[in-house]
Amino acid sequence: MQTAVACHYPASVQGNVTQNVSFLSGANVSNYPLGAANATRTDPFRVLEEVKRLTLERLGGLPGALYGPIEDALALSATHFERNAFQYEDQAALWSLRHQQAAQVMRYRQQLAKGFDEFRTMRAASRRGFLSMGLLDEAQLDMHIAGERMAEVLSQRYQKPLEALEARLHVLAQTLGLQAMVNPVGPGRLATAFVDAFDGVRVPGQLRSHLFQFYEDHLARTLDELYGQADALLAQAGYGVTREGSKDVAPHVAPGSSGGAALQQEPGQDVTLDELRSLLHAWREGTVRPENVPASHAPQRALQGRRDLRVEEVVSVASLLHGEPTDTFARALAGTGELGRSIRERLGEGARRLGLSPDHTTIGRDSEDAIDLVAMVFESLFATQDLHERCRRLYARLVLPYVKVALGDRALFDRAEHPARKLLDAITEACAGNNAETPFERELFERAALSAQRVAVEYHENMAVFEQAFAELDALLLQQRQRVFLQEERAAQAVHGRERLQHAREQADAVVGRRLSAQPLCEAIAGFLGTSWRHHLVQVLLRDGVDSARFAEALALGDALAEADMLAARAEGRALATRLLTLERTIVDCLASSGLDDSAAQHGLVSLVRGLAWPDAPRSVHALPPRIEAGDDGEDRKLWLAGGTDTVATLAPAMVQSLRALAVGDWLRLKNADGVLVNAKVGWISPLTSRRLLVNDRGGRVLVAAVEELAALAEQGRLHVAPPPRAFSRALAEVGERLRRAGS
């Protein structure tokens, strides 16, 4: 199957620069504060070239270096499982790729270098280029989707070093006079380079998974050092920020901003487990206002003779309850806020069965933390995600397994790539907004339910259950991501088509308006120019463009008709007849572009000739008549601003600049007209108007707006920068905000 889409992704230098990096060979992080700057800065082009050299030195040997580990992984897989047709296909494809590795490495290096060229010239490649629309088979589309997913993972993993490095690169970009920049060694650029290295190559699914897994692993071992060296190099070359007092300080700079009111991160995103537990303890122990603490989270006061249950004992109790009905959890997820209490009650019942009487035991503080955090994360998922009622039973099955994970592994709340987090993210991706209206949606929901059931039955402190359930569900989710990708493409093309039409109309109106007002014209000529010729100009502009020969011919037709009208006014019948004969075919073609058949076009020509037959007909200059077009999308051009457009002119330049620097694929959180927070991604940037198309998780259009309109929303607190919408991470951030609000 092939799908029509457009897919594009988001000599050593001598002198003091080279000397400055001679000591960096073993550095993992910069020893320089962000603001450390020399009195003078090194030539920015030389510094950028040195960062490029470092990048090519560290990464330039890929992807050829991956094939050995991949071959070992395929061989190991073959020893544990019966060989099948897919394994033979992977082996054959790997053999073919290894014979092309020189070309792949060359393309990869070229793409890495291209990132630095785009930085210098501010020609960041758009992911979508409608002029290069072509056929892309599903295997290639899968490569692009896998690349985007890997870029999201790396962006989260290296968030802090990326922020520091990009702040320095922003200063360097300003030195070059650039208003915006895209990090040439950012995860998006590295993913794009890798995908483009396999352009035109079909990679089977299992082999593709290994390729990205080992590429990501290689980057994980390399990027700490690369980012540290690049950061130190930029610092030593003087690309920091101004000093504040006696210290160099790093500003909170959004991409592309120059200080002032810049676009801010969504509140609550930078939350740590230690901070959550501290807030949770204060909340649960009553040091905040008592009315903010529900009874379900009231602390179990230590009584005489009671001991804290060990974590192992609580896990054993939870394991005892694995196969039992979870109706109480499902009811608690209906919005009552009682999930924590329900979990405690069930654990209390299980403890009695094991002979652990509540008269002599109590749940310890660490176990309380695990129970409360899991309960609040699950409650937050239902508060922030578009989950239907039928999802409650599915999630209820997962409550106790996730309590067990939280009891024994704090990494559940610390590490975004934890297998249990990845599975919950995948289940939420499958269920959120899923109305089960199509066979595919029903299959997706059923697969998610089976994954939940599998974990509920099979999890006994072995994380492989989560990994296997995730792998099976993620394989089906890949099809959904393809659908989302294509939905984004359709939304972008629809907006682009309307913008092209509007732009062509405006160009045509300007031409026709000048022609009608240039000289007195009879009604017949003025009417033809204001209707049929006007429509013809629009069609030619859309199909051939303003620089085409056809457009020049169309313009010449208007001028020729105006000259014909002058001949008619002077009663020069012979010259008029000759002129009309030479224009006959062109006039008929013009009329035909309005949808008239040959007969109707000939009739229109006769009417035009008849109007020129009277020299004494009244003539005057004409105004451009109002346009009447079917399907005009006036709604699309309306500003979506709560306060109207009066405040747009007073926006802070830094805010506008921050938003202008957002690239395709960047995520935001947007409060819509109904006051509901929604995830929104920059899906496309118009090459005509620079408007941004924002799409949701499912690829549907959320908003089409100018940067100034988005800045107005940001200043109202309705728009924030946000990380990629991973369900568990967002729920955890919401828990942190909820606890902070309770303590304020």
Side-chain angles (χ1 to χ4, degrees):
M1 174 181 175
Q2 288 187 320
T3 309
V5 294
C7 289
H8 302 282
Y9 283 91
S12 176
V13 179
Q14 302 299 321
N16 59 353
V17 176
T18 305
Q19 296 168 5
N20 288 337
V21 299
S22 61
F23 67 94
L24 292 174
S25 58
N28 288 325
V29 294
S30 171
N31 292 321
Y32 295 94
L34 182 61
N38 295 334
T40 59
R41 288 173 173 162
T42 307
D43 177 6
F45 290 106
R46 298 176 67 187
V47 177
L48 198 61
E49 191 67 22
E50 188 61 24
V51 176
K52 174 182 172 182
R53 184 194 64 79
L54 284 172
T55 302
L56 292 174
E57 178 183 287
R58 297 289 180 186
L59 303 177
L62 297 172
L66 306 178
Y67 290 134
I70 292 174
E71 189 170 34
D72 294 340
L74 290 177
L76 181 63
S77 176
T79 62
H80 285 80
F81 303 97
E82 183 180 352
R83 283 188 176 271
N84 54 44
F86 294 108
Q87 288 172 333
Y88 286 114
E89 182 185 14
D90 289 336
Q91 292 284 3
L94 180 62
W95 182 87
S96 176
L97 288 177
R98 293 197 76 152
H99 281 74
Q100 304 172 43
Q101 67 179 17
Q104 294 155 10
V105 170
M106 181 183 68
R107 285 197 297 268
Y108 180 74
R109 291 178 65 89
Q110 288 172 341
Q111 286 297 322
L112 290 180
K114 183 179 177 183
F116 289 88
D117 294 338
E118 290 172 352
F119 181 97
R120 285 192 292 266
T121 58
M122 220 176 74
R123 289 185 288 105
S126 169
R127 187 167 65 91
R128 296 175 171 87
F130 293 101
L131 296 179
S132 60
M133 183 75 68
L135 290 178
L136 190 71
D137 65 32
E138 288 189 358
Q140 291 173 296
L141 181 57
D142 291 345
M143 289 285 288
H144 286 276
I145 293 172
E148 289 188 348
R149 188 174 184 84
M150 185 192 70
E152 291 180 1
V153 170
L154 293 175
S155 294
Q156 287 196 331
R157 181 180 299 173
Y158 295 101
Q159 180 180 356
K160 295 300 182 183
L162 278 171
E163 286 177 356
L165 176 60
E166 288 174 358
R168 295 196 191 281
L169 287 171
H170 173 70
V171 176
L172 187 143
Q174 286 184 319
T175 304
L176 292 171
L178 305 179
Q179 297 303 310
M181 69 92 186
V182 176
N183 187 349
V185 291
R189 182 68 244 179
L190 298 179
T192 296
F194 191 66
V195 171
D196 288 350
F198 296 91
D199 186 36
V201 179
R202 186 183 182 279
V203 183
Q206 181 69 18
L207 180 55
R208 180 177 62 250
S209 176
H210 282 308
L211 271 173
F212 279 95
Q213 175 189 338
F214 285 104
Y215 181 55
E216 184 179 334
D217 290 346
H218 185 95
L219 291 179
R221 296 191 301 269
T222 307
L223 288 185
D224 274 325
E225 186 173 9
L226 175 61
Y227 287 161
Q229 290 187 347
D231 183 73
L233 172 61
L234 288 163
Q236 181 72 2
Y239 292 95
V241 293
T242 56
R243 294 176 179 268
E244 187 176 282
S246 59
K247 294 182 179 180
D248 294 310
V249 294
H252 178 73
V253 181
S257 71
S258 57
L263 186 63
Q264 299 296 310
Q265 178 95 353
E266 183 183 18
Q269 288 301 322
D270 295 328
V271 56
T272 65
L273 178 58
D274 290 338
E275 180 186 7
L276 279 173
R277 293 185 64 177
S278 176
L279 290 168
L280 189 62
H281 294 163
W283 185 57
R284 198 167 57 223
E285 297 296 334
T287 58
V288 296
R289 293 193 301 271
E291 62 269 20
N292 289 327
V293 184
S296 61
H297 292 279
Q300 297 190 39
R301 302 297 181 188
L303 299 178
Q304 187 69 29
R306 297 176 73 184
R307 70 171 179 86
D308 288 349
L309 289 169
R310 298 190 307 276
V311 169
E312 295 81 1
E313 292 175 312
V314 181
V315 170
S316 297
V317 172
S319 297
L320 176 69
L321 304 171
H322 252 188
E324 298 189 3
T326 56
D327 293 351
T328 55
F329 298 156
R331 287 193 294 271
L333 287 172
T336 62
E338 297 293 319
L339 183 57
R341 170 182 286 179
S342 299
I343 295 172
R344 288 178 175 81
E345 289 176 351
R346 289 294 301 278
L347 291 175
E349 294 171 7
R352 288 189 184 93
R353 293 188 220 166
L354 291 177
L356 300 170
S357 170
D359 294 332
H360 303 291
T361 60
T362 185
I363 296 176
R365 193 183 214 191
D366 289 345
S367 299
E368 289 271 1
D369 291 348
I371 291 168
D372 282 339
L373 288 175
V374 168
M376 297 173 88
V377 163
F378 274 71
E379 289 168 350
S380 179
L381 284 174
F382 275 81
T384 59
Q385 302 288 335
D386 182 16
L387 296 172
H388 292 269
E389 285 300 304
R390 67 180 180 279
C391 297
R392 286 192 288 114
R393 287 188 178 277
L394 186 160
Y395 281 82
R397 294 190 195 106
L398 294 169
V399 169
L400 283 179
Y402 275 81
V403 169
K404 287 178 61 178
V405 174
L407 286 167
D409 188 359
R410 66 170 282 155
L412 175 66
F413 302 105
D414 273 336
R415 187 162 63 90
E417 293 305 300
H418 191 284
R421 283 178 74 154
K422 290 172 65 176
L423 178 61
L424 197 60
D425 287 343
I427 288 175
T428 305
E429 184 181 352
C431 294
N434 187 340
N435 299 316
E437 294 177 347
T438 67
F440 177 76
E441 287 181 328
R442 289 191 290 273
E443 180 186 3
L444 193 58
F445 180 79
E446 290 167 4
R447 185 72 62 85
L450 286 173
S451 297
Q453 183 65 24
R454 179 177 182 178
V455 167
V457 173
E458 299 181 17
Y459 174 57
H460 298 288
E461 291 74 60
N462 183 359
M463 296 308 300
V465 175
F466 288 95
E467 294 172 346
Q468 292 165 4
F470 168 77
E472 293 170 1
L473 180 57
D474 193 58
L476 187 60
L477 280 171
L478 185 60
Q479 297 181 35
Q480 173 167 295
R481 294 181 196 119
Q482 292 174 347
R483 293 165 185 253
V484 170
F485 186 92
L486 295 175
Q487 181 67 20
E488 290 179 23
E489 294 290 340
R490 284 192 288 268
Q493 290 182 49
V495 176
H496 189 241
R498 283 194 294 272
E499 288 196 345
R500 288 186 65 237
L501 175 59
Q502 181 62 25
H503 186 61
R505 287 173 176 174
E506 291 170 355
Q507 287 179 294
D509 286 353
V511 171
V512 174
R514 288 194 298 269
R515 184 69 271 174
L516 291 177
S517 62
Q519 69 185 64
L521 299 169
C522 69
E523 288 296 331
I525 293 295
F528 181 87
L529 295 179
T531 55
S532 299
W533 187 57
R534 186 183 192 180
H535 179 79
H536 182 59
L537 289 174
V538 171
Q539 298 303 309
V540 173
L541 283 166
L542 288 172
R543 294 170 183 167
D544 301 282
V546 69
D547 297 323
S548 66
R550 282 197 68 210
F551 186 64
E553 292 171 2
L555 289 177
L557 173 61
D559 294 337
L561 287 173
E563 292 174 5
D565 188 55
M566 293 174 61
L567 294 174
R570 295 198 295 264
E572 298 181 16
R574 184 178 297 275
L576 175 61
T578 301
R579 176 59 58 88
L580 291 176
L581 285 173
T582 61
L583 294 175
E584 178 181 1
R585 187 67 260 168
T586 308
I587 294 172
V588 170
D589 289 344
C590 176
L591 291 166
S593 71
S594 299
L596 302 179
D597 59 22
D598 193 63
S599 176
Q602 290 290 343
H603 180 74
L605 176 60
V606 170
S607 299
L608 183 61
V609 172
R610 186 182 299 117
L612 291 170
W614 306 97
D616 297 332
R619 287 172 169 79
S620 63
V621 295
H622 295 262
L624 183 72
R627 177 178 292 281
I628 302 175
E629 294 281 355
D632 189 22
D633 190 4
E635 183 68 22
D636 182 59
R637 296 195 302 274
K638 284 176 23 180
L639 289 177
W640 183 44
L641 296 175
T645 62
D646 295 340
T647 61
V648 169
T650 65
L651 294 171
M655 180 71 76
V656 176
Q657 192 175 356
S658 297
L659 282 156
R660 203 178 301 280
L662 290 175
V664 170
D666 286 346
W667 284 92
L668 305 162
R669 284 280 276 176
L670 175 68
K671 185 176 290 186
N672 65 19
D674 299 323
V676 178
L677 277 172
V678 296
N679 298 323
K681 181 174 71 173
V682 181
W684 175 70
I685 300 175
S686 169
L688 291 175
T689 64
S690 295
R691 293 195 306 170
R692 270 59 174 171
L693 166 66
L694 303 187
V695 296
N696 59 24
D697 309 65
R698 297 279 171 160
R701 188 177 78 169
V702 173
L703 175 66
V704 182
V707 170
E708 291 77 12
E709 300 172 56
L710 295 177
L713 292 174
E715 289 202 336
Q716 296 166 16
R718 293 172 57 185
L719 186 73
H720 297 279
V721 128
R726 292 196 164 196
F728 197 105
S729 298
R730 187 166 295 286
L732 207 58
E734 179 61 29
V735 169
E737 274 302 293
R738 175 179 166 187
L739 292 172
R740 289 189 192 98
R741 289 194 299 268
S744 62

